[in-house]
Amino acid sequence: MATEAHGEGLTFHPMDQFKIQPLFGEGPIHWYTPTNATLWMGLALLAIFALFVLGTRGRALIPTRLQSVAELGYGFVHKMVEDVTGKDGLKFFPYIFTLFCFIVFSNFLGLIPGALTTTSHIAVTAFMAVAVFLTVTLVGFIKNGAGFLGLFWVSSAPLALRPVLALIEVISYFVRPVSHSIRLAGNMMAGHAVIKVFAAFAPLVLISGIGIAVTPLSILAITAMYALEILVAFIQAYVFTILTCVYLRDALHPHH
């Protein structure tokens, strides 16, 4: 974040932390250009590999700390998928587990000062949300055929209301990838921006006497927001994953 003093004022740019920049040199960014987003997504994949491959290679009867964390994460997502989608949804566990791991590691890596939070970019979250949308839609039609359309027909409602409810259900279904992606990106972007705003007030002690009172409050606010962002980083990964499970359940069992 850029923070500059101009006379008695302070100029800061809390959104600069979300800029996509080339890793090497300057100039236009093409689809093949290595960027800071490429770097931090790659680091997320390396962290996942380190935990679930290197951390569990010993398969010890008495697990190490890394193996315990890996087993805990595996069991947590496995139980989530089974509880929400049922036994027949477990065949999609590897896909859902991969989504959860990528999101949670990207979120936590984004908390490192100077890092880029890739899940704050709608291009990343939209890609995942659209992939989920297409997957569950295909699964719904492949497994149920035309019966998948029963998802939109509320048979328990009065007959006169069913066409109206069907239209609402269709609209809400196609809005799913929008809400699915914006929820994650919006929450990650908002929290990081607020932290940067509070951080901009910390150097005020160097600019004016008022800063002596402002600085401790800013540091306290940054600490509180950072603690909250740690919680949000996990919760948003959980919310994205459990919504994926809910959408998959609707595809497997479409009838109201």
Side-chain angles (χ1 to χ4, degrees), residues 197-219:
V197 169
F198 284 129
F201 290 100
L204 278 178
V205 68
L206 303 176
I207 299 173
S208 65
I210 300 176
I212 297 175
V214 174
T215 298
L217 294 177
S218 299
I219 295 173

Side-chain angles (χ1 to χ4, degrees), residues 102-150:
F102 176 77
I103 295 170
V104 78
F105 273 89
S106 296
N107 289 354
F108 278 111
L109 285 173
L111 292 172
I112 299 174
L116 176 73
T117 309
T118 54
T119 46
S120 67
H121 286 267
I122 194 67
V124 176
T125 59
F127 178 84
M128 294 188 292
V130 170
V132 169
F133 176 79
L134 294 176
T135 300
V136 299
T137 302
L138 288 173
V139 168
F141 279 110
I142 292 172
K143 184 178 185 298
N144 303 285
F148 179 60
L149 298 176

Side-chain angles (χ1 to χ4, degrees), residues 18-40:
F18 304 113
K19 285 184 178 179
I20 303 295
Q21 299 173 341
L23 281 181
F24 311 105
E26 298 180 355
I29 297 176
H30 304 285
W31 65 268
Y32 52 83
T33 305
T35 64
N36 51 349
T38 310
L39 171 66
W40 287 100

Side-chain angles (χ1 to χ4, degrees), residues 44-158:
L45 295 179
L46 287 177
I48 294 169
F49 179 83
L51 177 60
F52 291 102
V53 178
L54 301 182
T56 61
R57 60 183 173 179
R59 294 179 177 85
L61 186 61
I62 300 176
T64 62
R65 292 179 181 178
L66 277 179
Q67 185 176 330
S68 296
V69 173
E71 290 176 356
L72 183 64
Y74 183 96
F76 174 76
V77 179
H78 189 278
K79 188 175 187 307
M80 184 198 309
V81 175
E82 185 176 9
D83 289 347
V84 177
T85 66
K87 294 286 187 181
D88 50 347
L90 287 176
K91 63 172 67 76
F92 298 97
F93 167 74
Y95 174 55
I96 297 173
F97 184 60
T98 301
L99 278 176
F100 175 80
C101 290
F102 176 77
I103 295 170
V104 78
F105 273 89
S106 296
N107 289 354
F108 278 111
L109 285 173
L111 292 172
I112 299 174
L116 176 73
T117 309
T118 54
T119 46
S120 67
H121 286 267
I122 194 67
V124 176
T125 59
F127 178 84
M128 294 188 292
V130 170
V132 169
F133 176 79
L134 294 176
T135 300
V136 299
T137 302
L138 288 173
V139 168
F141 279 110
I142 292 172
K143 184 178 185 298
N144 303 285
F148 179 60
L149 298 176
L151 178 65
F152 310 110
W153 190 254
V154 187
S155 56
S156 60

Side-chain angles (χ1 to χ4, degrees), residues 163-174:
V164 177
L165 292 177
L167 179 61
I168 294 173
E169 290 287 340
V170 169
I171 294 173
S172 65
Y173 185 82
F174 283 97

